[in-house]
Amino acid sequence: MGRWWPSRLLLGLLCAVVSAGLVGRTDGGVTSSFVRKPAKAVDMPIDSDVFRVPPGYNAPQQVHITQGNHDGSAMIISWVTEEEEPGSSKVLYGTDRDQLDLNSEGKYTRYKFYNYTSGYIHHCTLRHLKHDTKYYYAVGIGHTIRKFWFTTPPEVGPDVPYTFGLIGDLGQSHDSNVTLTHYESNPKAQTVLFVGDLSYADKYPNHDNVRWDTWGRFVERSTAYHPWIWTAGNHEIDFAPEIGETVPFKPFSHRYHVPYRSSGSTAPFWYSVKRASAYIIVLASYSAYDKYTPQYQWLEAELAKVNRSETPWLIVLMHSPWYNSYNYHYMEGESMRVMFEPWFVKNKVDVVFAGHVHAYERSHRVSNIAYDIANGKCKPVPDESAPVYITIGDGGNVEGLANNMTEPQPNYSAFRESSFGHAIFEIKNRTHAYYTWHRNQDGNAVAADSMWFYNRSVRDLSECSSCSI
Ligand SMILES: *[C@@H]1O[C@H](CO)[C@@H](O)[C@H](O)[C@H]1NC(C)=O
Ligand SMILES: *[C@@H]1O[C@H](CO)[C@@H](O)[C@H](O)[C@H]1NC(C)=O
Ligand SMILES: *[C@@H]1O[C@H](CO)[C@@H](O)[C@H](O)[C@H]1NC(C)=O
Ligand SMILES: *[C@@H]1O[C@H](CO)[C@@H](O)[C@H](O)[C@H]1NC(C)=O
Ligand SMILES: *[C@@H]1O[C@H](CO)[C@@H](O)[C@H](O)[C@H]1NC(C)=O
Ligand SMILES: *[C@@H]1O[C@H](CO)[C@@H](O)[C@H](O)[C@H]1NC(C)=O
Ligand SMILES: *[C@@H]1O[C@H](CO)[C@@H](O)[C@H](O)[C@H]1NC(C)=O
Ligand SMILES: [Fe+2]
């Protein structure tokens, strides 16, 4: 803490507090000096415990759930069966563990990818769920029944507390397993906001889609119980013309359904959901976003729909970060930033979470929207109306850590560290949210970086003048 700004120290608990182990302040914020073992990330072998197929004839596997409509009163249940016959697409559910008296009929799909043929991929939407209620559900009706549960979010409203986990670029290495275990050990987390790059199956010969299946089985222990809100990353594109695969996002879009239609979107790669007191907008770094494109038109209309009196917290997820000071994917997010950053500032987006860069970084509240080709105003400047940008692409995939940083640390960057981990965004009420980042080497209670977020319209700036700048 020694070299941290004295004004911040005085602000104590109320303002951004960063844990011990920090030196090396440069131009901008802090580059953590935390020393980790330089071990290479290695995928878990195919016969690992986490990849085991559940026993029983045509047992449902890779069970995962996600929010099923805009206000959180529906849930999409998905799973895969791998025998010759598809099995039932029905879900039995109810609030009494022993009496699943409701049911919903889903559909199945399957796809081929080069010489791989998927199992039957079932998707079933449960509608008209009661808010803030624990439901039990069963899949595999008629053959091997497996039971799980989930809790619906409270009704949308400005003071509803809710806790999100943030995970990105997870993959299926030993480190991925540590990240997931670490997330699971947080007793408060209720839903995962996933910022893209799921299985990394495309790292295998011919994008071996068996690795999509192993990934689905690996994460089931969380995704069958907690909804994961999906963002598409570059490892979801699976565009491989050299083996005749020319339809982008084929495996991802068959396997992971999202409620894009309920937010008026025309494609599953950009959409929004409301959950508790948060409005979550998911953007697509790998779909067109120039002026006149569907995503551009959708986002323009979408931002106008956000009612901050109802959902004070406006969160955006995307894969490729706009503010990134690592020497990886440098400026890949730049063209989207140019298109959308003025809207984010105008609409006072609270926070933007991205992945892609396999490390951790948090920005100050900055914007870079004054440049007009001729005026030379092309540097990020402090801006209270701007979001905080967080890169959380540190899930632990096989590509390993990004550890080469631009030097000196640019002044928009508040904190950066090249470690695997996950984050927690804990909304307390309409004015306060507490954010923490947890590196894998630490116990769950340890936050290696943290920050209080405030509703910037109501907060008394004099009380906390340098909190998030
Ligand atoms: C993955 O993590 C879980 C939970 O900590 C553990 O039970 C399992 O053995 C781990 N598997 C591998 C292959 O690391
Ligand atoms: C697909 O092709 C690869 C080599 O081209 C081969 O190793 C693999 O066994 C094949 N898989 C199937 C399911 O046929
Ligand atoms: C939070 O800010 C929005 C404006 O961005 C405001 O409409 C909302 O009521 C605020 N929440 C309060 C006052 O608690
Ligand atoms: C915004 O939300 C508040 C609180 O739910 C509601 O009273 C108000 O009517 C909404 N405004 C609009 C324009 O829908
Ligand atoms: C970074 O420094 C430059 C000049 O050195 C200044 O113009 C700019 O406002 C600073 N940006 C931030 C985010 O502090
Ligand atoms: C870090 O990245 C820079 C810019 O790409 C490159 O010039 C440099 O060689 C890299 N350093 C290491 C140690 O890889
Ligand atoms: C909102 O939460 C913060 C942090 O827990 C608390 O200090 C504050 O009193 C709460 N505000 C209201 C209106 O309850
Ligand atoms: Fe990526």
Side-chain angles (χ1 to χ4, degrees), residues 34 42 138 146 150 163 194 223 232 248 253 289 326 329 338 352 368 384 400-401 405 407:
F34 182 80
V42 175
R146 295 183 68 208
F150 59 80
T163 302
F194 190 82
T223 57
S253 54
Y289 42 75
Y326 288 82
H329 306 302
V338 169
V352 176
N368 188 1
E384 265 299 313
L401 277 169
M405 305 172 181
E407 300 291 354

Side-chain angles (χ1 to χ4, degrees), residues 57-58 81-87 120 122 143:
Y57 177 74
N58 222 6
T81 52
E82 289 199 329
E83 297 294 343
E84 291 299 313
E85 55 174 325
Y120 294 95
H122 306 258
H143 293 136

Side-chain angles (χ1 to χ4, degrees), residues 225-268:
Y225 304 91
H226 283 193
W228 285 39
I229 306 297
W230 303 108
T231 309
N234 55 307
H235 289 279
E236 276 68 72
I237 302 174
D238 281 312
F239 176 70
E242 68 281 9
I243 51 171
E245 291 300 339
T246 55
V247 179
F249 302 105
K250 193 204 267 184
F252 174 70
S253 54
H254 279 83
R255 292 167 183 272
Y256 294 91
H257 279 191
V258 298
Y260 67 96
R261 286 191 192 88
S262 66
S263 59
S265 167
T266 48

